[in-house]
Amino acid sequence: MSEQPKKKKSLLRRILKWSGITFLLLLITVIVLPFIFKDKLIALAKEEANKNLNAKVDWGNFDLSLFSSFPDFRFSIDNVRVSGIKEFEKDTLASIPNLKLDLNLMSVITGDYKINSITLESPRIMAKVLKDGKANWDITKPDSSATPSAESSGSTAFKLALKSLEIKNGYIVYDDKSLGVLTILDSLNHTLSGDFTADNFDLETMTTIKRFTQEYDGMRYLNKANIELKANLGMDMKNMKFTFKENSARINELGLGFDGYFAMPGDDYDMDIKFAAKESEFKNFLSLVPAVYTADFKDVKTAGKLAFSGYAKGLYSEKQNKMPGWGINLNIADAMFQYPSLPKSVTGINIDVNVDDASGDPDKMVIDAKKIAMNIGGNPINANLKVTTPVSDANIAGAVNGKVDLKSMRDVVPMEKGDELNGVITADIKMNGRMSMIEKEQYDQFQASGNLGVTDMLYKTTGSPDVTVKAMAMNFSPKFVELTTFDGKIGKSDIKANGRIDNLLQYVFNDSLLKGTFDMKSGLMDLNEFMSDDETAAAPAATPAPAESDMAVIEVPKNLDFTLNTAIGKLLYDNFTMDNVSGGVTIRNSVVDLSKLAMNMMGGKLVLDGSYSTKGNVPTIDFNMDVTDFDIQQTFKTFNTVQKLAPVGERATGKFSTTLNLKTDLDNKMMPVMQSVTGLGKLSTRSVVLDGFEPLKKLDDALKLNKFKKITLTDIAPIGFRIKDGRVSVDPFDFKLGNSTAKMEGGSTGIDQTIDYKWNIVIPRSEFGGAANSALTSLTSQASSKLGRPVTLSDKVDLAVLFGGTVTNPTVKTSLKEAAADMKNEIKDQVKEEVNKQIDNAKDKAKAEADKIIADAQKQADKIKADAAVAAQKVKDEGYKRADEIEKSAKNPIEKVAKKKAADVARNQADVAAKKITDEANQKADALMAKARAEADAKLK
């Protein structure tokens, strides 16, 4: 074999050998590095969450890998859950089954921790804004650094160098009470890619939403629409200007295209955006109608042309009080549609609507619906509306005329199996004039006339109560809208009503006060039929469920002034049954006032005066209640407030009456905030039986009389009581126990179930016998010892009894009354002892938690120091090794001197580097311990 082929083979062997070694080293690196950095990243993630978030953050397993994301680290976290605090304590902000962060490999090694990409698997997010503007996602702690760098974006150790973001199968709810906006994104998939580290780059996004719902002020504009959005934007990060490039959007079957830009110069927003329908077929616009966009929509026969476009142009500036100009045009000409399986069609669809506000001044807006016309299966409808100067003095001209036989609707639009729709709706309404005419009561100059009627209507659908309207008639005039007749049923609830609404046009156009007066009668009103939550039912199973009750705060509108006179035979609500409900309800200025609202319930009668208010930051109630003969057991089982404040009710049977003024704040589940409850009242009963009440059982055990385990109290005159600071205090009162007389000297029960009561009981001497005599002898001996003289018993034994401890674990002390001068102090000491015991328990728990915080921090600090010691020693060993190699490389005495100096420098540099690693670790460990001690101190306080 020639020399040349041998050299080639030798070279090939070396290449394969070093390639194999390189691959092996790379493989070892990919396997080993995650183990080296995993614990460090987990500790850092926990530290960053605690340092930067005012929220409760929980998570499950962590994983770190290089295989699936090389050359990035993939940091994977399971079951991430973020819960709010304070107002949002019971809310889950986010629940993410899996969160992936791809971290730049070198940034992890150097400690910069740059995040290149983020992936969220099936996130469930509930974003809420309260009516006062507080948002549940505002959970980041204020940045203490005065001049944070642009890269760090705050004080966090993780830095965004984002190149991609992906959301898979998301469910997101945005509920903004301050703006009246509700948005639900169900089955959201979103990808975003672009180099955010560059000043200029192209951003590519792709978004699909299977079910998109949008509401504003209670009106649903889109219902479970299918959305697809592809948007490529030119990103100019220096000037914060974003320009639309290739893009497309689709809502159901309607495709839209966008052109223009959006910029954020300073605090303002500048824009010039145009959009238009990509197709000109009416069918695509028709898909926006939920009732029409069904599974067989693709087979619908249609005709007609569509033109749909709009724009937004100009500056939005809060400081300058400027709004951009905007406009929308919709034109549908000679359109129709018909389902192939149905006999009738909707024809003659002609719509010409233009809304334009080119200047951005709302008062210069022109709403011009020149024509809205269609024929629904032989039922013609025509309408038009034009509004100018809507803010300063709305000039309104419009009309609607039509008659619809609802039965024919099922010949036009497919209905679900089991659904029914019948009845006739007629409308003939005209109006023309300026709002100022109404405000000046110049009703003769404002034309408003017509009527709206419904007869024999039935709407039946699966999952909702049936709705029937036998008759409804409304008459329109410039001054008011009169409801002359309403006779209908919703499910089992029947309603008959009449009345009038004033200021309707002022309310619609000027947001003025809407006034109304109605009389309503009902034989049965079942409110439970209206309490189902469609959105909650439709939400995926993984959506975080409410922690307790499904109820939420019921907001009372500010601009309503309604008076409702009611007469209801039976009213069902939750677990309440109320009969013969009558009285007045006034809704005004965010307050519901009840006036002599009377009802039969709990086996007795209740008359209620007072108010429910949502004026402040929290809802409140202020009720005066007059209760007659309520059944104690029903009341106790129904009201959890009674269970907290009057636990004796669990062991009581009979009836009671009370007058009570009750005030309390309500939480976000409409439940009383117990510490805020205040009340003043009087309670009476003709007869009540206490059977097995633990404090009285303890009294029986002490006296051996076998007469207190079950007692009957009769003809208890009104007893005064007060509720304050979480305790119910009771005034003294007299009562009888068989042949004995007794007086409750006063006392109190707390929501923490502690009790503090003193009784005086006079018992005939003849009732003592057997074991009771030995107990009495003991009491006599104690009294003689205390008084320093013999005590002689008369025919009646006068006893003092002290109850302390808690309802379930009471303490009882007894004494002859003449030797009980210091009993009150004893009971106070007893209650104080119980409270101190609970405080000690809380302190022990806090100390245990504080010790755990210190121990966990010490463990982390020790690990930081240990890891630093290993890293420092490694740096030192490598430096010394390099120095030795420098010295050995010297080839002559002169070079040896120079090389030795260089080696000494290398050793010194290694020492300095090692010391720096150790010092930084010590500083980090010390800071960690200081923070832990501060947290521990806070726990102990």
Side-chain angles (χ1 to χ4, degrees):
M1 184 181 291
S2 66
E3 192 65 27
Q4 192 68 20
K6 285 182 180 180
K7 286 182 179 181
K8 287 183 178 180
K9 285 187 176 181
S10 176
L11 178 62
L12 182 59
R13 287 194 200 98
R14 284 199 295 273
I15 291 171
L16 291 173
K17 176 182 176 182
W18 288 109
S19 296
I21 292 171
T22 301
F23 176 75
L24 182 60
L25 289 174
L26 184 61
L27 182 62
I28 291 170
T29 300
V30 169
I31 294 172
V32 171
L33 278 181
F35 289 98
I36 295 173
F37 289 101
K38 180 178 179 181
D39 290 342
K40 190 173 183 180
L41 280 169
I42 292 172
L44 185 63
K46 291 181 178 179
E47 180 185 339
E48 290 297 310
N50 290 325
K51 183 172 70 175
N52 292 299
L53 298 179
N54 282 316
K56 297 174 185 176
V57 183
D58 296 316
W59 45 63
N61 296 325
F62 288 81
D63 191 26
L64 189 66
S65 171
L66 268 170
F67 277 109
S68 58
S69 56
F70 190 82
D72 286 343
F73 271 115
R74 174 153 291 172
F75 189 37
S76 177
I77 313 172
D78 290 338
N79 299 322
V80 179
R81 194 176 181 91
V82 182
S83 302
I85 58 174
K86 296 181 181 178
E87 301 96 330
F88 305 104
E89 184 177 358
K90 295 178 181 179
D91 293 333
T92 299
L93 169 60
S95 175
I96 308 171
N98 183 257
L99 169 64
K100 294 184 180 73
L101 307 175
D102 285 357
L103 306 171
N104 178 277
L105 175 60
M106 290 308 299
S107 76
V108 175
I109 294 172
T110 59
D112 288 336
Y113 305 108
K114 292 180 179 176
I115 301 173
N116 286 339
S117 69
I118 301 172
T119 303
L120 288 77
E121 298 270 3
S122 300
R124 300 296 184 259
I125 297 171
M126 169 63 81
K128 293 175 68 174
V129 182
L130 302 180
K131 66 175 183 175
D132 61 4
K134 289 182 181 177
N136 68 337
W137 66 81
D138 186 13
I139 58 174
T140 54
K141 293 179 180 178
D143 185 9
S144 58
S145 66
T147 55
S149 67
E151 184 186 23
S152 67
S153 177
S155 59
T156 178
F158 291 103
K159 303 170 181 66
L160 283 179
L162 199 62
K163 289 184 174 62
S164 69
L165 168 68
E166 185 172 10
I167 300 173
K168 298 179 180 179
N169 188 32
Y171 183 85
I172 300 173
V173 176
Y174 173 70
D175 186 3
D176 191 332
K177 299 292 186 188
S178 67
L179 299 176
V181 172
L182 174 66
T183 305
I184 301 172
L185 287 69
D186 187 0
S187 297
L188 164 72
N189 289 280
H190 172 76
T191 59
L192 172 153
S193 62
D195 187 359
F196 280 82
T197 60
D199 289 335
N200 288 278
F201 65 95
D202 285 344
L203 176 69
E204 297 183 0
T205 69
M206 182 67 192
T207 305
T208 61
I209 306 168
K210 281 189 179 179
R211 290 171 288 275
F212 177 89
T213 298
Q214 180 71 64
E215 285 186 9
Y216 178 67
D217 271 350
M219 182 174 289
R220 184 161 291 189
Y221 291 91
L222 285 173
N223 185 38
K224 299 179 182 178
N226 187 283
I227 304 285
E228 183 179 286
L229 175 63
K230 178 182 179 182
N232 295 343
L233 302 172
M235 308 290 285
D236 180 354
M237 300 303 289
K238 277 190 174 181
N239 298 305
M240 293 300 285
K241 184 175 181 179
F242 317 116
T243 305
F244 283 96
K245 293 191 171 182
E246 181 187 352
N247 65 85
S248 62
R250 177 182 54 77
I251 306 173
N252 289 344
E253 302 297 323
L254 179 65
L256 299 171
F258 292 83
D259 189 23
Y261 69 85
F262 181 84
M264 294 186 289
D267 294 331
D268 300 331
Y269 304 112
D270 185 27
M271 65 198 77
D272 185 356
I273 301 171
K274 299 185 180 80
F275 68 88
K278 288 193 169 185
E279 302 88 2
S280 60
E281 298 298 319
F282 166 68
K283 184 174 184 178
N284 300 300
F285 184 80
L286 186 65
S287 71
L288 298 183
V289 182
V292 177
Y293 192 63
T294 58
D296 53 352
F297 179 77
K298 62 182 182 299
D299 299 322
V300 174
K301 176 185 175 184
T302 66
K305 295 299 179 182
L306 161 73
F308 180 56
S309 62
Y311 74 93
K313 182 178 182 179
L315 192 71
Y316 171 81
S317 173
E318 283 192 26
K319 289 182 180 178
Q320 301 178 45
N321 195 27
K322 289 190 69 175
M323 294 285 290
W326 65 280
I328 294 176
N329 291 290
L330 171 64
N331 191 283
I332 297 171
D334 301 323
M336 61 79 64
F337 72 90
Q338 182 178 12
Y339 280 84
S341 59
L342 297 176
K344 294 183 179 180
S345 60
V346 178
T347 60
I349 304 173
N350 287 277
I351 298 174
D352 187 358
V353 176
N354 172 260
V355 181
D356 194 76
D357 184 13
S359 67
D361 180 353
D363 198 38
K364 294 180 180 177
M365 182 195 309
V366 177
I367 303 168
D368 192 3
K370 297 182 181 69
K371 178 183 281 189
I372 300 175
M374 63 189 72
N375 189 304
I376 305 175
N379 298 283
I381 297 175
N382 289 277
N384 62 79
L385 174 67
K386 185 172 184 177
V387 181
T388 58
T389 59
V391 177
S392 60
D393 184 12
N395 187 15
I396 309 158
V400 58
N401 181 274
K403 179 179 179 180
V404 177
D405 184 349
L406 295 175
K407 188 175 183 179
S408 67
M409 291 296 293
R410 41 188 186 181
D411 294 332
V412 174
V413 179
M415 299 183 71
E416 295 290 333
K417 186 177 180 181
D419 286 3
E420 288 185 43
L421 188 62
N422 287 304
V424 176
I425 299 177
T426 58
D428 185 5
I429 304 167
K430 295 177 182 177
M431 64 181 69
N432 194 345
R434 288 190 171 274
M435 288 298 303
S436 56
M437 298 172 183
I438 296 176
E439 290 165 357
K440 294 174 183 177
E441 299 185 359
Q442 297 169 343
Y443 301 117
D444 57 324
Q445 297 181 38
F446 191 99
Q447 178 189 356
S449 61
N451 55 73
L452 173 67
V454 179
T455 55
D456 298 324
M457 189 185 94
L458 166 65
Y459 175 64
K460 186 176 182 181
T461 186
T462 305
S464 296
D466 297 351
V467 178
T468 60
V469 179
K470 186 176 181 181
M472 185 188 83
M474 297 178 75
N475 295 326
F476 291 78
S477 70
K479 192 173 182 179
F480 57 82
V481 177
E482 183 183 19
L483 177 67
T484 58
T485 305
F486 183 91
D487 185 357
K489 289 184 73 174
I490 303 175
K492 298 189 289 287
S493 305
D494 61 282
I495 303 171
K496 290 184 178 181
N498 60 77
R500 57 183 272 178
I501 299 174
D502 295 280
N503 285 20
L504 180 61
L505 292 176
Q506 295 98 312
Y507 172 76
V508 172
F509 290 99
N510 289 344
D511 201 24
S512 299
L513 193 68
L514 182 66
K515 296 182 179 180
T517 305
F518 293 93
D519 293 323
M520 188 197 78
K521 293 182 180 179
S522 174
L524 170 66
M525 181 71 71
D526 186 356
L527 297 182
N528 295 320
E529 291 186 301
F530 310 112
M531 291 173 64
S532 63
D533 188 341
D534 294 338
E535 297 302 339
T536 302
T543 303
E548 293 180 358
S549 168
D550 286 333
M551 290 186 67
V553 172
I554 302 169
E555 299 286 346
V556 183
K558 292 179 181 178
N559 52 353
L560 288 187
D561 185 351
F562 271 37
T563 299
L564 180 66
N565 298 307
T566 61
I568 303 172
K570 184 184 289 291
L571 177 64
L572 305 178
Y573 172 69
D574 198 19
N575 58 344
F576 300 98
T577 299
M578 293 157 271
D579 295 309
N580 299 322
V581 181
S582 63
V585 179
T586 301
I587 304 170
R588 182 183 294 126
N589 193 24
S590 297
V591 177
V592 177
D593 279 310
L594 308 178
S595 176
K596 301 299 179 187
L597 190 66
M599 63 197 75
N600 296 330
M601 61 184 296
M602 304 294 160
K605 184 176 180 179
L606 168 66
V607 179
L608 199 59
D609 285 281
S611 64
Y612 164 75
S613 172
T614 57
K615 270 187 177 181
N617 292 329
V618 295
T620 60
I621 60 172
D622 183 353
F623 287 157
N624 288 308
M625 295 183 281
D626 189 351
V627 172
T628 305
D629 288 337
F630 264 29
D631 181 82
I632 294 173
Q633 278 295 299
Q634 285 187 52
T635 305
F636 182 85
K637 291 174 181 176
T638 304
F639 298 101
N640 76 331
T641 309
V642 175
Q643 295 167 19
K644 291 278 188 184
L645 295 174
V648 66
E650 184 178 15
R651 293 293 179 177
T653 55
K655 290 179 177 287
F656 73 96
S657 300
T658 184
T659 56
L660 170 64
N661 171 253
L662 182 71
K663 299 178 182 178
T664 182
D665 295 340
L666 303 178
D667 63 18
N668 59 358
K669 304 297 180 187
M670 294 291 286
M671 301 299 291
V673 179
M674 297 305 298
Q675 289 293 348
S676 73
V677 177
T678 61
L680 183 66
K682 292 189 175 184
L683 179 143
S684 61
T685 177
R686 288 192 293 273
S687 176
V688 61
V689 178
L690 293 177
D691 188 358
F693 188 46
E694 198 62 34
L696 295 181
K697 286 168 65 179
K698 278 285 181 75
L699 176 61
D700 229 15
D701 293 341
L703 296 178
K704 313 295 183 187
L705 285 172
N706 196 30
K707 65 180 292 182
F708 297 112
K709 289 179 181 174
K710 183 176 181 179
I711 66 173
T712 301
L713 306 178
T714 58
D715 297 325
I716 301 297
I719 307 164
F721 64 92
R722 294 162 305 287
I723 306 170
K724 189 176 181 182
D725 299 328
R727 297 196 74 81
V728 179
S729 302
V730 182
D731 292 343
F733 65 95
D734 298 317
F735 58 97
K736 285 188 175 183
L737 294 170
N739 296 323
S740 303
T741 59
K743 181 170 186 173
M744 206 280 288
E745 297 284 2
S748 65
T749 301
I751 59 173
D752 57 0
Q753 305 296 283
T754 57
I755 56 176
D756 163 18
Y757 289 99
K758 182 182 177 182
W759 284 15
N760 283 326
I761 311 176
V762 179
I763 305 173
R765 178 71 179 83
S766 58
E767 292 191 5
F768 286 87
N773 256 329
S774 63
L776 185 58
T777 301
S778 175
L779 290 173
T780 306
S781 175
Q782 291 172 21
S784 298
S785 175
K786 210 177 255 190
L787 295 171
R789 58 177 174 78
V791 173
T792 304
L793 296 175
S794 64
D795 292 342
K796 293 183 178 180
V797 180
D798 205 343
L799 294 176
V801 182
L802 297 175
F803 295 98
T806 64
V807 172
T808 55
N809 187 24
T811 60
V812 175
K813 289 187 178 181
T814 57
S815 173
L816 293 179
K817 185 180 179 184
E818 55 191 300
D822 60 347
M823 290 284 270
K824 192 67 181 173
N825 290 331
E826 286 184 36
I827 191 65
K828 285 182 178 177
D829 291 341
Q830 204 172 68
V831 172
K832 190 183 293 183
E833 181 183 338
E834 180 65 31
V835 172
N836 288 338
K837 182 180 176 183
Q838 293 187 21
I839 291 172
D840 289 340
N841 289 338
K843 283 182 178 179
D844 290 342
K845 183 180 178 183
K847 188 175 184 305
E849 291 176 354
D851 289 344
K852 187 175 186 306
I853 290 171
I854 296 291
D856 290 346
Q858 188 64 59
K859 190 175 178 181
Q860 290 183 47
D862 291 343
K863 188 174 187 313
I864 289 169
K865 290 180 179 180
D867 290 345
V870 172
Q873 189 60 48
K874 183 179 178 183
V875 168
K876 193 171 182 180
D877 290 344
E878 289 175 351
Y880 274 62
K881 182 180 178 183
R882 202 159 50 248
D884 292 343
E885 290 172 352
I886 291 170
E887 281 193 279
K888 288 178 183 177
S889 67
K891 296 175 182 177
N892 55 64
I894 297 173
E895 195 175 355
K896 279 186 179 181
V897 174
K899 294 283 186 180
K900 186 176 186 311
K901 285 183 178 180
D904 289 342
V905 171
R907 291 188 185 97
N908 183 58
Q909 288 175 340
D911 290 339
V912 171
K915 186 175 185 302
K916 184 180 178 183
I917 291 172
T918 304
D919 290 346
E920 287 178 350
N922 288 336
Q923 289 173 6
K924 190 172 182 181
D926 291 344
L928 185 66
M929 290 304 298
K931 182 180 177 184
R933 290 189 192 97
E935 289 181 9
D937 289 343
K939 283 279 184 188
L940 292 173
K941 286 177 183 177

